[in-house]
Amino acid sequence: MSIPTPEKGHVAPYTHPAAGWGALKQVAVNLIKEKVAGGKYKTLFKQNQPDGFDCPGCAWPDRQHASTFEFCENGVKAVAAEATSKRVTPAFFAEHTVTALMAQSDFELEQHGRLTHPMVYDAATDKYQPVAWQDAFQLIARHLNQLDDPNAATFYTSGRASNEAAFLFQLFVRMVGTNNFPDCSNMCHEATSRGLPVTVGVGKATVLLDDFQLTDAVLVFGQNPATNHPRMLNELRDCAKRGAAIVSINPLKERGLQRFTSPQHVSEMVTGQSTKIATMFVRPKLAGDFALIKGLGKRVIELDDEAIATGSKRVVDVDFLAEHTAGFEAFAADLRAESWADIVAESGVPREDIDALADVYVKSERTIACWGMGITQHKNSVSTIQLLSNVMMLRGNIGRPGAGLMPVRGHSNVQGDRTMGIEEQPDEAFLDRLGAAFDFEPPRAHGQDVVAAINAMLAGKVKVFIGLGGNFSIATPDTPRTWEALRQCDLTVNIATKLNRSHLVIGKDALLLPTLGRTEIDLQNGVAQGVTVEDSVCMVHISYGMNKPASPELRSETAIVAGMAAATLGSDKVDWHWYAQDYARIRDAIEKVIPGFERYNERVAQPGGFHLTPASRNRVWRTASGKAQFLVHAIDKDTPIQRARARYGDDLLVMMTTRSHDQYNTTIYGLDDRYRGVFGLRRVVFINPADRARLGFAEGERVDITSVWEDGVTRHARDFLLVDYDIPAGCLGAYYPETNPLVPLESIGDRSGTPTSKSIPVLLARAASVQTSAQAAA
Ligand SMILES: Nc1nc2c(c(=O)[nH]1)N[C@H]1C(S)=C(S)[C@@H](COP(=O)(O)OP(=O)(O)OC[C@H]3O[C@@H](n4cnc5c(=O)[nH]c(N)nc54)[C@H](O)[C@@H]3O)O[C@H]1N2
Ligand SMILES: Nc1nc2c(c(=O)[nH]1)N[C@H]1C(S)=C(S)[C@@H](COP(=O)(O)OP(=O)(O)OC[C@H]3O[C@@H](n4cnc5c(=O)[nH]c(N)nc54)[C@H](O)[C@@H]3O)O[C@H]1N2
Ligand SMILES: [Mo]
């Protein structure tokens, strides 16, 4: 299995501040590349405005009542990619077989433009052919209705679907009779969603953007905001200007956390000024955060014990602990007993750095902890996040102005989709209300997450795959096995805006259903519809598309869901089309089922929308004990990585898979990773130069990567360029999705099920292609 990439690039360090003119130039480059037509430029200025659309770029919140346009390179790329004037028409499909398209790179597939017609796969010609919408829906209905067991179908959601589409989708699926809802969250912030409810009761952020204006310290764990959440840098810039401490906890010193020139501030752009962002870089080895945070907690307890001994001001928040928490004594005792040697060895962070981090933390009256994929995609992620919330609780940093927890979500409505019930483990109360509102008995058995869905396909237990957006075939781990799984399906359906790999890795029957993007006008019955989304700080707001649809054939996601549901289930019980004709009706239904959405239509009509305030923000703890709960977790000393190291010694390296600057998940916009100094290349591996020399490789050599697992399966990713990089010893970095074949399906987070994409034990060898040519020469 190999996916080609056109690669003619070079590596050169990037020395400019993040954003600034470099980012502005990219705006022009992207608008030209996508041939965005003149009238559509103005769309860019309606991004995240009260009367505009929610940016499909990321889930970072908007400055409230934003009246000025917030410039963001990521947002521009996302909008330009949707507003492109290039089209993938029936004529395109008539010219290309699926096999021929498989030979194109993900970058090339993305470049073809927007899908225009519903298409059905014809095995005889190996081509997609146009199909009428109604016939497409009938094909889906036929497959679903002939299943012996509704659990033989699985329904994927990527995080761009609106609340309305997601709610209708989950209702359809539960009426079909299953809770099989694999979704992109399973690969993303699942550890947050599973971890936080146990400690603080809600798996969501406790802060609002305003809290950044009050905070004394922001701890940024495992995030690369310059690339993935550029608007976050504006917030960090203002914090830095006020003198708040900003600590980056990351194996890499990401450029955007070093210096930033704000495109919002003309004077900075003109004079070339930039702001220093991070006051400190703490650099754990991959997956070392758990031990690091344990060290931070231990140091806080040590300092508190000293304070007790000397009769000075306590370091922990005694009142908060007494009134709001349970389990503190056992937690503190465990920290006292933990060995510093283990903490330092397992975190990879020197003791002085842990003390310095603790110093920042205890001096800060109000601390915000942010985290991203560097924290969530490991085996121990749930424990790490629970521990982080516990260490924040030590100083009462939850439910207080300027302080709190901030998981930074990825997809622009990934959080809302969960709120709407895209959840394979729904709670009983939700199912009761859903059943009562729509007069049916929802399935109670828990369903499949992403990895379980792939395993079920491999076992022949799932025969129908329906994807509401996303790129399931390559966002997921263990690519060859996932492809085998999808190809065993009787039917695969993808609802999408643009062509991607998942439209080519298909079942015996396959449908490709083109949909409106969020930037496009969504007319139902002649009335423009708004859709609602929930951002990373739980603000719910409405979004209206502005652009003319890419093709008159496109249907909204909501309309497509209604079409599938009506064809499959009929419209006696639920009048699906009636809902899809006016989304306000769906919002009324949501209001009946989901707490917090009272007067939904009315409140979402307010500029800026409304806050779905999580109980934890008000210090109400929806946990088993009714208190904010401390937990005791030990440092795990028997992990697959440790076992692999025992076997291979220092030859074993641990690899993270991460995003380049020019990609949006599996969508490859371009081949540069500007801030990391990589241009025109994607098959690169960042390596510590000392490791490279020790392993006997020359700079710029090409290598094959093999991952180490305990199931006897050999997993390779071949032909990567070694790039010397400032990365901790023993660690490697490479891009996703090229490296997903290396992640075993079985390598998942404890209690989260998330593929461990940021800690893969691997070995390097000189590239087979190089060896063969060398051998041939010899
Ligand atoms: N332009 C753009 N924007 C995006 C996306 C995109 O692909 N492109 N994707 C969206 C999505 S869905 C998501 S989830 C977010 C992702 O946004 P991020 O959470 O920033 O995700 P990544 O780029 O995968 O990696 C984040 C960082 O984790 C660090 N890291 C890796 N391993 C570890 C570790 O063990 N410990 C610590 N402390 N750090 C570690 C890496 O060095 C990197 O800086 O962005 C969203 N926004
Ligand atoms: N190795 C490794 N694997 C990872 C990660 C990692 O860091 N490393 N990150 C994981 C994370 S955090 C995530 S979130 C997942 C992402 O997994 P997905 O969400 O499945 O992947 P995307 O690449 O975001 O999906 C892109 C496709 O969505 C479609 N699309 C875009 N906009 C719309 C829309 O408005 N509606 C519809 N219906 N379709 C649309 C387009 O066809 C586009 O090709 O990947 C995960 N996989
Ligand atoms: Mo994500």
Side-chain angles (χ1 to χ4, degrees):
M1 187 224 75
S2 78
I3 302 172
T5 24
E7 303 229 324
K8 278 190 248 80
H10 67 283
V11 179
Y14 189 81
T15 51
H16 307 285
W21 290 109
L24 270 193
K25 185 176 146 204
Q26 285 307 309
V27 173
V29 168
N30 278 280
L31 292 174
I32 293 165
K33 187 184 77 176
E34 298 294 353
K35 303 194 170 84
V36 174
K40 289 188 174 174
Y41 284 21
K42 71 172 193 300
T43 327
L44 292 171
F45 298 93
K46 286 291 181 189
Q47 210 163 275
N48 298 334
Q49 294 299 300
D51 60 340
F53 60 90
D54 182 72
C55 176
C58 75
W60 186 257
D62 316 324
R63 287 199 169 180
Q64 246 181 340
H65 316 302
S67 53
T68 51
F69 163 65
E70 256 197 304
F71 168 84
C72 167
E73 183 186 346
N74 186 5
V76 169
K77 285 179 184 164
V79 172
E82 213 165 273
T84 180
S85 60
K86 300 183 221 164
R87 296 289 179 268
V88 177
T89 59
F92 172 92
F93 284 114
E95 272 171 36
H96 299 86
T97 61
V98 165
T99 307
L101 289 171
M102 274 302 280
Q104 299 194 4
S105 70
D106 296 317
F107 173 65
E108 288 165 312
L109 293 178
E110 163 68 17
Q111 298 314 308
H112 295 305
R114 290 287 300 275
L115 299 163
T116 62
H117 281 70
M119 306 296 292
V120 64
Y121 179 68
D122 173 47
T125 55
D126 187 32
K127 285 179 181 170
Y128 273 107
Q129 297 178 345
V131 63
W133 276 106
Q134 205 45 41
D135 294 341
F137 295 144
Q138 287 305 336
L139 182 65
I140 294 169
R142 240 185 358 262
H143 275 278
L144 288 177
N145 286 329
Q146 79 191 17
L147 295 174
D148 298 331
D149 175 359
N151 296 307
T154 207
F155 298 83
Y156 179 66
T157 312
S158 167
R160 280 200 192 179
S162 64
N163 282 355
E164 291 76 6
F167 183 82
L168 216 58
F169 192 52
Q170 65 81 33
L171 179 62
F172 159 52
V173 172
R174 293 199 161 102
M175 286 191 146
V176 167
T178 178
N179 285 308
N180 283 347
F181 287 107
D183 76 334
C184 69
S185 287
N186 298 145
M187 301 179 274
C188 185
H189 260 291
E190 195 69 297
T192 303
S193 305
R194 301 290 173 232
L196 288 185
V198 185
T199 55
V200 299
V202 188
K204 295 183 180 181
T206 69
V207 296
L208 279 168
L209 267 197
D210 293 347
D211 289 305
F212 282 81
Q213 290 164 27
L214 303 171
T215 193
D216 305 314
V218 186
L219 311 180
V220 184
F221 286 90
Q223 259 195 282
N224 180 19
T227 290
N228 299 318
H229 304 91
R231 287 178 297 121
M232 178 176 178
L233 286 182
N234 295 325
E235 236 53 55
L236 295 181
R237 168 191 179 274
D238 290 357
C239 288
K241 292 242 181 236
R242 278 194 300 107
I246 295 170
V247 184
S248 163
I249 297 111
N250 193 320
L252 305 185
K253 281 176 91 168
E254 299 284 22
R255 190 66 205 155
L257 289 164
Q258 298 183 37
R259 296 208 78 88
F260 168 61
T261 296
S262 170
Q264 252 66 251
H265 293 83
V266 175
S267 61
E268 280 191 17
M269 294 292 281
V270 173
T271 58
Q273 283 169 352
S274 60
T275 307
K276 180 170 176 248
I277 299 290
T279 33
M280 189 192 295
F281 289 90
V282 178
R283 304 181 64 189
K285 63 182 187 186
L286 291 169
D289 302 81
F290 178 80
L292 169 67
I293 298 166
K294 217 160 178 190
L296 173 61
K298 182 176 172 69
R299 185 69 192 144
V300 172
I301 295 296
E302 280 182 2
L303 292 170
D304 189 59
D305 287 345
E306 281 169 28
I308 296 171
T310 58
S312 37
K313 185 169 181 276
R314 291 286 296 271
V315 175
V316 299
D317 183 337
V318 183
D319 295 341
F320 179 81
L321 293 179
E323 190 182 339
H324 287 289
T325 70
F328 169 68
E329 285 308 330
F331 180 72
D334 176 65
L335 290 178
R336 287 190 193 98
E338 190 61 79
S339 106
W340 274 118
D342 282 354
I343 288 173
V344 169
E346 294 301 324
S347 67
V349 180
R351 177 67 200 273
E352 312 80 81
D353 290 10
I354 301 177
D355 287 357
L357 172 63
D359 194 49
V360 171
Y361 183 54
V362 301
K363 284 194 179 131
S364 157
E365 282 305 312
R366 292 164 290 255
T367 304
I368 295 175
C370 303
W371 66 95
M373 296 301 101
I375 293 295
T376 61
Q377 296 176 332
H378 299 290
K379 182 170 189 295
N380 63 2
S381 293
V382 170
S383 309
T384 304
I385 289 162
Q386 291 179 335
L387 183 62
L388 177 59
S389 63
N390 282 174
V391 170
M392 290 288 280
M393 280 154 52
L394 286 178
R395 290 184 41 80
N397 273 314
I398 300 176
R400 194 152 64 70
L405 304 174
M406 173 75 183
V408 181
R409 305 269 165 185
H411 269 302
S412 49
N413 198 37
V414 62
Q415 188 162 315
D417 290 346
R418 260 296 155 86
T419 308
M420 291 299 115
I422 302 295
E423 159 70 278
E424 73 279 5
Q425 303 174 30
D427 66 53
E428 292 292 323
F430 166 79
L431 293 177
D432 291 344
R433 286 189 302 270
L434 186 70
F438 291 94
D439 186 28
F440 79 115
E441 185 42 52
R444 300 278 162 169
H446 284 179
Q448 297 156 350
D449 64 5
V450 161
V451 168
I454 297 168
N455 280 321
M457 287 180 216
L458 281 172
K461 290 185 183 148
V462 157
K463 288 296 178 192
V464 176
F465 169 90
I466 298 184
L468 184 60
N471 194 354
F472 188 89
S473 71
I474 55 168
T476 53
D478 230 344
T479 315
R481 280 166 84 198
T482 296
W483 288 13
E484 187 190 330
L486 285 164
R487 285 173 172 151
Q488 284 182 35
C489 287
D490 290 335
L491 173 70
T492 53
V493 180
N494 282 284
I495 299 159
T497 50
K498 297 185 91 174
L499 189 63
N500 70 40
R501 187 75 46 195
S502 301
H503 311 155
L504 310 175
V505 180
I506 52 183
K508 291 175 195 80
D509 282 335
L511 287 165
L512 181 44
L513 305 180
T515 189
L516 291 174
R518 198 182 293 156
T519 57
E520 290 169 316
I521 299 164
D522 180 355
L523 278 185
Q524 302 293 338
N525 260 350
V527 179
Q529 303 291 315
V531 294
T532 54
V533 294
E534 176 184 339
D535 67 26
S536 221
V537 294
C538 318
M539 290 296 303
V540 179
H541 39 88
I542 199 152
S543 165
Y544 285 95
M546 317 261 324
N547 286 337
K548 195 171 150 233
S551 147
E553 284 288 323
L554 299 188
R555 293 204 180 171
S556 74
E557 291 184 338
T558 309
I560 295 172
V561 171
M564 295 193 294
T568 308
L569 301 168
S571 297
D572 294 346
K573 201 145 220 171
V574 176
D575 187 347
W576 302 96
H577 293 300
W578 181 80
Y579 280 107
Q581 276 162 12
D582 180 356
Y583 300 173
R585 295 169 183 162
I586 306 177
R587 289 189 286 274
D588 284 338
I590 293 170
E591 178 174 336
K592 283 196 205 127
V593 176
I594 302 174
F597 286 86
E598 298 74 24
R599 297 183 290 111
Y600 192 178
N601 277 304
E602 184 189 322
R603 284 195 296 156
V604 87
Q606 308 298 319
F610 64 93
H611 189 217
L612 206 57
T613 311
S616 44
R617 183 174 166 87
N618 294 328
R619 297 194 162 178
V620 172
W621 314 104
R622 302 215 190 286
T623 59
S625 62
K627 299 273 186 187
Q629 185 66 48
F630 283 102
L631 301 170
V632 170
H633 292 298
I635 296 177
D636 192 351
K637 290 196 190 149
D638 182 27
T639 63
I641 291 178
Q642 281 149 332
R643 292 195 293 271
R645 180 153 292 124
R647 217 160 113 206
Y648 294 100
D650 286 346
D651 283 358
L652 189 98
L653 302 163
V654 180
M655 191 175 82
M656 65 156 115
T657 59
T658 189
R659 293 154 170 78
S660 82
H661 193 69
D662 274 357
Q663 75 182 83
Y664 191 93
N665 297 336
T666 67
T667 301
I668 311 302
Y669 298 134
L671 303 177
D672 296 350
D673 191 7
R674 188 165 87 239
Y675 298 145
R676 300 201 187 102
V678 174
F679 300 91
L681 298 171
R682 286 191 55 84
R683 295 185 86 81
V684 297
V685 189
F686 298 114
I687 188 167
N688 180 304
D691 281 337
R692 177 183 53 70
R694 179 174 61 76
L695 293 169
F697 296 113
E699 199 178 345
E701 241 188 285
R702 303 197 79 88
V703 291
D704 292 340
I705 314 168
T706 306
S707 56
V708 178
W709 196 248
E710 293 155 341
D711 59 359
V713 177
T714 309
R715 296 178 176 84
H716 294 303
R718 293 195 189 279
D719 207 16
F720 285 72
L721 181 77
L722 279 177
V723 173
D724 281 3
Y725 206 76
D726 180 11
I727 186 169
C731 300
L732 299 173
Y735 301 131
Y736 122 80
E738 287 82 347
T739 42
N740 287 38
L742 295 169
V743 187
L745 274 178
E746 291 72 19
S747 181
I748 53 177
D750 300 334
R751 288 168 289 147
S752 67
T754 300
T756 58
S757 326
K758 294 283 192 281
S759 45
I760 315 168
V762 301
L763 301 169
L764 299 180
R766 196 148 287 128
S769 58
V770 178
Q771 283 169 5
T772 343
S773 52
Q775 280 156 3

